[in-house]
Amino acid sequence: MFENKKTVYIDIANRKIELTIFGESSTEENLFELDNSDAEANGEAALQIKEGYFYEYKITDGFKLECTDVVNQSRVNQSTGRISPNIYVGTLTIGICEIGQNIRCGEIKLEVQSVKTSYRQDYRHMLEEITEKCTDLLLQHNSPVNQYFEVDFNADANTLYQRFAFIKSILDSVEFADSVNKIVTAPVTRWRESETDKDIRGVKRINQKILKQIAGATNRIELPEVHSLKKSLHSVPSKVSVTSKTETVDTPENRFIKHALSTFLNFISEFRIKLKNNSRLRQEAIIIEDKLELLISHSVFKEITAPTTLSLNSPVLQRKEGYREILKVWLMFDLAAKLVWHGGDDVYSGGKRDVAVLYEYWLFFKLLDVIKEVFKIDSTSVENLIESTKDGLGLKLKQGKFLPIKGVYLNETRKLNIEFSYNKTFSGEKEYPLGGSWTRNLRPDYTLSVWPFGIEQEQAEIEELIVHIHFDAKYKIENLKTIFGSDETLDEEKEEQKRGSYKRADILKMHTYRDAIRRTAGAYVLYPGSQSDKKIGFHELLPGLGAFAIRPSRQNDGTEDLKLFLNEVVNHFLNRASQREKMSLKTFEIYKNKSNNELNEALPETFGKNRNMLPDETFILIGFYKDIEHLNWITQNKIYNARTGSSRGSVRLSSKETGAKYLLLHSNGEIKTNKLLKLNDSGPRVFSKEKMISKSYTNPSQDYYLVFDIEDKIEMEFKNMVWDISKLEGFKGSRNSGLPFSVSFTELMKVVVK
């Protein structure tokens, strides 16, 4: 059992106000308090609750909490109420007012933790990687970066916070701290020459420079008479100038490192000054500022002077471990200050730490990297992610905003159009055969669309040639069991729905995408877990459903499984004989024209041997017999012969005639007939005149005949039916009435004699 209440005290106008918060669950740890040091280290409020849980509160009588989307007052007592953080994550600042007044007299801060225990590390890692991706884009040769950016601290507060969040992700990383530590523990040094005056008696090595001083320097002393040099040299200088070498860390590279750290510190300090004293943002700035001051106060940097120039092309800066990382950070810092990302407001504005939305943004770059590699998308459309804006350089990525990345996949056997989209909306208002949804508007997080090169996307939709594959980000999913099933019964699942906890909603959303969005061949969940799984619809990779585990990690982020899947998708599209290709063609052929056919007659059921007996696609050969003798020959030999060649009365060989399933016989003057026979599925054969004679055929006039094999039985539904063939469109009267032709069952059943 866990403690399910916490009490805090707030000083307001020399009064101590008491606020007690009650957790509704006593079986889970969802209400706790951090030590002040831990809270400050994480930039969080000390009193912590969890998203998705509900809490009751009671504040000192005479006071109330301000109503918000999260705080709801009781109708009975304004000093009590309910706190419902729902999906909010981050520092929640709640105003306190006296009852009867709407002027805030104080406030309380609560930290809403994510249900994911790793969210702090995930948040930091993902924001850092997004910053790296953005700065990589800005460093592209044709990006609109051409001057150093001076930060305007009077700019829009959200824009400033976004820029600070990017920069904080760089300076707060473990890699940055490790790089500075490597430099101060093993800095680059050089030898520095210095001149000092030294007593001539202490000189051990004589060089040309010292010899000149011995010969001509002033301030000389007489040599003793007994000195060995007295005969050639009467005096020597008392002191000579000697050159010595000392090792120093005051190198151009170390000057740059000190300059970079000072630049970072100055930015953070100026930023902090502009912030409110009790704001979370100021606390975050103070934490970074303290770290930078600690780093720059190291004894190594005390000896280093200010740089006169920045030698950014130094091999040490570009190659030596520690130095190259700080150089990269310095470049990233400058570029991060240039970049405005309004999509970041969804993640961290107003004290939020919406790690689920950040995961969605982070996945965009992960998917983009994989799709660029697999489908070989050129970089032109990717570079367009950055655009010039009125307040700097803008990253287009924003939740709810459609963002397409287009390219062409080229293989020796096929050329395909590729479009990777973020927030592509499939409208429910578009009628078939246009692209869209069958019902309401749907907007998957990410959509991969593939269609043949040489045709526009809209035409590809109409001709059933485009394929959509959707992905949805689900940060809060823990494992595959949550997605694909659990041990709960359907009755238990019903109870979960009543409580508003629907565990299978995510996989059902994938079903919705696949079934509701036209030409969708796959829909997949992306979640930060450890297991991936794919459910194949029929016999091939597509159509399908599934989940891929993509997690924030430098070592193994799980994208390899996704990459393998997309490589299989490529191979699937290169297979021109795939079942999916056949299915799309059949769909196009069936629905390209509106059918006015209606058939309500009794027909054999389409199972077993008759499984393919569709009235529109089952054809009957209308054949002619000369007389009773010919009819008897047909029924006895179980074959029917038709003339070949171009002579009058020969059968026209189309797929309808050669693929006919039935034979309807008639003779001279017989326009109403019930002589329906079933043909063998193996198709017709060619008999020579000699073969026909051996079958006792009377007076064969042709060299060759097309012969159809007749089966023994006809379905009982046709036993008592009679058809008036004179009403069929292909029937020719008088002398041409014996010409064979074919009709579909739909056409034939319209001339049944009632």
Side-chain angles (χ1 to χ4, degrees), residues 212-408:
K212 288 181 180 180
Q213 293 181 72
I214 291 174
T218 58
N219 193 20
R220 307 176 69 84
I221 56 174
E222 290 289 331
L223 290 175
E225 293 294 332
V226 295
H227 198 281
S228 60
L229 295 176
K230 182 65 176 178
K231 293 181 180 180
S232 57
L233 191 65
H234 296 287
S235 63
V236 293
S238 59
K239 291 185 178 182
V240 291
S241 177
V242 296
T243 301
S244 61
K245 289 185 178 182
T246 57
E247 191 176 21
T248 179
V249 293
D250 191 18
T251 66
E253 294 81 9
N254 291 332
R255 290 171 190 167
F256 167 78
I257 299 300
K258 184 175 181 179
H259 169 74
L261 294 177
S262 300
T263 302
F264 302 156
L265 180 59
N266 290 338
F267 171 84
I268 299 298
S269 298
E270 289 185 49
F271 187 75
R272 173 185 53 78
I273 293 171
K274 301 292 182 180
L275 302 173
K276 295 180 181 178
N277 286 337
N278 60 348
S279 69
R280 171 185 181 151
L281 187 54
R282 189 174 189 274
Q283 183 59 38
E284 290 182 358
I286 289 173
I287 293 171
I288 300 298
E289 189 177 25
D290 290 344
K291 287 182 179 179
L292 288 171
E293 286 180 343
L294 182 63
L295 292 174
I296 208 169
S297 64
H298 195 279
S299 58
V300 168
F301 294 112
K302 293 179 180 178
E303 185 184 336
I304 299 171
T305 59
T308 54
T309 59
L310 297 179
S311 303
L312 301 183
N313 59 347
S314 162
V316 172
L317 286 180
Q318 294 183 357
R319 298 175 189 173
K320 184 171 175 59
E321 194 172 10
Y323 288 85
R324 64 170 181 259
E325 287 80 12
I326 299 299
L327 174 60
K328 179 183 177 183
V329 168
W330 187 77
L331 294 172
M332 289 173 64
F333 174 88
D334 181 27
L335 294 172
K338 293 178 172 68
L339 189 64
V340 175
W341 179 33
H342 291 293
D345 297 345
D346 303 323
V347 179
Y348 41 62
S349 66
K352 283 192 298 185
R353 280 188 180 177
D354 199 330
V355 68
V357 175
L358 187 63
Y359 181 68
E360 183 179 317
Y361 288 141
W362 176 78
L363 274 177
F364 170 82
F365 289 103
K366 285 295 175 183
L367 283 172
L368 182 59
D369 283 346
V370 172
I371 289 171
K372 278 174 59 181
E373 180 181 342
V374 172
F375 291 96
K376 303 176 178 64
I377 294 180
D378 58 43
S379 61
T380 305
S381 60
V382 177
E383 291 163 4
N384 293 335
L385 283 169
I386 303 291
E387 63 181 358
S388 297
T389 64
K390 63 181 180 180
D391 46 7
L393 298 173
L395 174 63
K396 293 181 182 179
L397 188 65
K398 181 168 175 58
Q399 200 175 41
K401 182 180 178 182
F402 174 51
L403 179 59
I405 305 295
K406 298 182 179 180
V408 176

Side-chain angles (χ1 to χ4, degrees), residues 575-637:
N575 177 15
R576 306 302 292 274
S578 70
Q579 293 174 327
R580 184 198 50 77
E581 291 263 3
K582 297 173 187 176
M583 188 184 303
S584 66
L585 174 60
K586 285 292 184 182
T587 303
F588 172 66
E589 289 179 341
I590 291 169
Y591 293 117
K592 66 180 177 181
N593 296 314
K594 184 177 180 180
S595 174
N596 294 318
N597 290 335
E598 185 175 344
L599 181 57
N600 299 318
E601 301 293 340
L603 289 176
E605 292 296 338
T606 55
F607 57 78
K609 292 183 67 176
N610 287 338
R611 183 63 189 87
N612 63 347
M613 188 179 165
L614 297 175
D616 282 348
E617 297 181 8
T618 302
F619 294 94
I620 299 92
L621 182 64
I622 310 300
F624 183 79
Y625 66 93
K626 294 179 290 185
D627 47 32
I628 293 298
E629 183 182 354
H630 185 199
L631 180 60
N632 291 335
W633 181 86
I634 291 171
T635 56
Q636 289 172 6
N637 288 278

Side-chain angles (χ1 to χ4, degrees), residues 415-584:
K415 200 173 183 181
L416 298 167
N417 284 309
I418 305 297
E419 182 184 82
F420 171 58
S421 304
Y422 178 61
N423 285 330
K424 183 180 180 73
T425 299
F426 294 86
S427 173
E429 298 176 357
K430 292 183 179 180
E431 296 292 334
Y432 183 85
L434 297 177
S437 164
W438 289 110
T439 50
R440 56 183 298 176
N441 291 355
L442 292 174
R443 189 175 63 198
D445 292 338
Y446 323 95
T447 298
L448 174 65
S449 303
V450 183
W451 70 97
F453 184 79
I455 185 174
E456 295 298 324
Q457 186 170 355
E458 185 174 340
Q459 188 62 29
E461 290 275 7
I462 293 172
E463 295 192 21
E464 299 285 345
L465 288 170
I466 196 168
V467 173
H468 303 296
I469 301 172
H470 310 294
F471 301 93
D472 247 18
K474 302 294 181 185
Y475 177 76
K476 293 171 186 176
I477 289 178
E478 294 287 346
N479 50 56
L480 282 180
K481 186 178 179 181
T482 307
I483 306 172
F484 288 118
S486 63
D487 297 331
E488 66 183 5
T489 66
L490 293 178
D491 290 336
E492 290 172 336
E493 185 181 342
K494 280 283 188 182
E495 291 301 316
E496 290 288 339
Q497 293 181 51
K498 291 177 183 178
R499 291 194 294 268
S501 175
Y502 195 10
K503 295 181 179 178
R504 299 188 185 180
D506 295 314
I507 193 61
L508 292 183
K509 191 71 171 290
M510 298 303 101
H511 278 285
T512 301
Y513 289 155
R514 197 189 70 175
D515 299 334
I517 298 175
R518 298 180 191 125
R519 291 109 199 176
T520 291
Y524 302 87
V525 168
L526 303 177
Y527 77 108
S530 58
Q531 294 177 292
S532 298
D533 193 15
K534 302 187 296 291
K535 305 293 184 183
I536 295 174
F538 301 109
H539 304 293
E540 296 179 339
L541 182 70
L542 299 176
L545 291 167
F548 291 97
I550 312 294
R551 51 199 167 273
S553 171
R554 292 266 184 199
Q555 286 73 37
N556 179 17
D557 57 16
T559 52
E560 284 303 316
D561 286 342
L562 181 61
K563 195 179 300 181
L564 289 172
F565 168 71
L566 289 178
N567 277 311
E568 291 176 358
V569 169
V570 169
N571 293 331
H572 176 78
F573 281 111
L574 295 179
N575 177 15
R576 306 302 292 274
S578 70
Q579 293 174 327
R580 184 198 50 77
E581 291 263 3
K582 297 173 187 176
M583 188 184 303
S584 66

Side-chain angles (χ1 to χ4, degrees), residues 1-8 20-33 47-49 55:
M1 300 288 286
F2 297 99
E3 183 181 3
N4 65 345
K5 75 173 184 177
K6 291 287 182 182
T7 300
V8 292
T20 303
I21 298 176
F22 305 87
E24 289 191 347
S25 173
S26 60
T27 60
E28 296 179 79
E29 190 174 12
N30 54 52
L31 177 61
F32 42 91
E33 194 168 3
L47 188 57
Q48 309 238 331
I49 60 178
Y55 302 85

